[in-house]
Amino acid sequence: MRLEVVTDPAHGGRWTSLRHGSREWLWRRDCPERHHASPGSVFVDAGGLEECIPTVRGTPDHGDAWGRPWTGEGDTERVRCDTFTLERTLRYTGGGIECNYTLRAKPGFRFIWAAHALLDLSEQATVHAAPGASTRLYPEAAPLIGRPWPPGAQWVEGRWPAPQGLPLDRFGPDDGTAVGAIVETDRCCVHDGEDFLALRVEAEGQPLSIALWRNLGGFPAHRPYRSTGVEPMLGRVFDLDGADGDDAACVPGSGRVRWRLVLTAECRCPP
């Protein structure tokens, strides 16, 4: 039994299903307006997995690719944006999936990419990553860390699994909070009952991380809902405008960046 993926090229290349047997991993919301999104639209959170590039937060919100139609040729899907072209090729490998990406842009083009996967998880779900990995917490976590937020700081750092004393490895019940974090690691594994989903990102010479979005009924303020994200990334920030040094991926002289997303339904917990 292998993982199975369904994508929707006509609507931003969104992954609408990631299934292993009877287990559907992707969380979804009923948002009919998602089908009418176009470049420049306000982001519509319909769940699934969105391809966020060249940023996640910031402008344009959730990137430039999610609101554009993709085209397909065989197993390869492609989206053309104003400053770059992104293509991906899905390949099944035994019980897992490999998604190979190629971005083409002018040398020196900087970007953030995230496989913005919102997962349908129980309150007992846990996420496992390398103990001690450097972890950035973002300002929405300020009320939860027990000390004043440094003035003007984009983030504060700590160590996985409890940066600044805030446990992040358990999603838990709804408590009215929403926290975003970025863990400096290339892999993690989600456990939910007897089900496992391991995620890994590979790229040569680019910064790699795993972002977490633990929204337990704390976002948005006017009509909050629960959504839990585990998001392999190129880059180490949510907002490209806040990326210093090697916190963003960068296109080399070849004009191409290649990377790979690997998903399996087996426990591949870091040591």
Side-chain angles (χ1 to χ4, degrees):
M1 184 169 54
R2 69 182 189 183
L3 284 166
E4 299 281 351
V5 171
V6 178
T7 65
D8 186 357
H11 301 101
R14 176 169 157 257
W15 300 32
T16 57
S17 178
L18 177 62
R19 182 174 290 275
H20 185 247
S22 61
R23 172 66 191 249
E24 173 58 62
W25 279 102
L26 294 182
W27 170 87
R28 290 164 289 185
R29 285 176 77 223
D30 183 18
C31 293
E33 60 271 33
R34 178 67 178 83
H35 293 282
H36 306 291
S38 60
S41 294
V42 174
F43 180 66
V44 180
D45 188 5
L49 185 154
E50 302 279 11
E51 302 279 2
C52 293
I53 186 171
T55 192
V56 181
R57 300 182 183 180
T59 304
D61 187 18
H62 286 74
D64 197 27
W66 74 270
R68 297 176 183 267
W70 294 49
T71 58
E73 183 178 338
D75 294 331
T76 298
E77 297 171 334
R78 181 179 298 105
V79 62
R80 300 184 187 276
C81 298
D82 293 339
T83 54
F84 65 90
T85 298
L86 177 66
E87 65 182 34
R88 68 186 181 199
T89 303
L90 282 164
R91 184 169 73 94
Y92 292 102
T93 57
I97 295 166
E98 288 185 358
C99 189
N100 292 285
Y101 292 85
T102 302
L103 178 136
R104 292 179 171 84
K106 291 182 178 179
F109 178 74
R110 301 176 80 236
F111 67 96
I112 304 295
W113 165 82
H116 188 274
L118 295 180
L119 303 182
D120 188 5
L121 301 176
S122 74
E123 295 180 357
Q124 289 71 46
T126 58
V127 59
H128 299 254
S134 179
T135 303
R136 294 175 174 179
L137 288 174
Y138 281 74
E140 60 268 19
L144 306 176
I145 64 173
R147 68 179 183 87
W149 191 264
Q154 295 185 59
W155 61 77
V156 296
E157 294 193 21
R159 297 292 174 183
W160 181 266
Q164 300 288 324
L166 177 61
L168 289 182
D169 55 338
R170 296 183 178 274
F171 289 99
D174 291 0
D175 60 8
T177 66
V179 175
I182 295 179
V183 187
E184 194 170 334
T185 182
D186 64 351
R187 67 192 67 198
C188 70
C189 186
V190 178
H191 296 199
D192 197 2
E194 296 181 353
D195 298 320
F196 305 98
L197 180 65
L199 307 96
R200 184 173 83 251
V201 60
E202 304 172 352
E204 185 175 347
Q206 303 292 346
L208 306 176
S209 63
I210 303 287
L212 297 178
W213 173 239
R214 194 181 72 179
N215 174 25
L216 305 179
F219 178 88
H222 64 285
R223 190 176 294 176
Y225 51 84
R226 179 187 179 94
S227 58
T228 49
V230 179
E231 308 168 19
M233 294 180 68
L234 265 62
R236 287 191 286 263
V237 291
F238 285 118
D239 189 343
L240 179 62
D241 286 343
D244 294 327
D246 61 357
D247 279 343
C250 187
V251 176
S254 66
R256 293 194 306 269
V257 176
R258 301 183 190 275
W259 68 93
R260 177 179 298 147
L261 174 64
V262 180
L263 307 173
T264 71
E266 301 174 3
C267 181
R268 302 281 179 88
C269 292

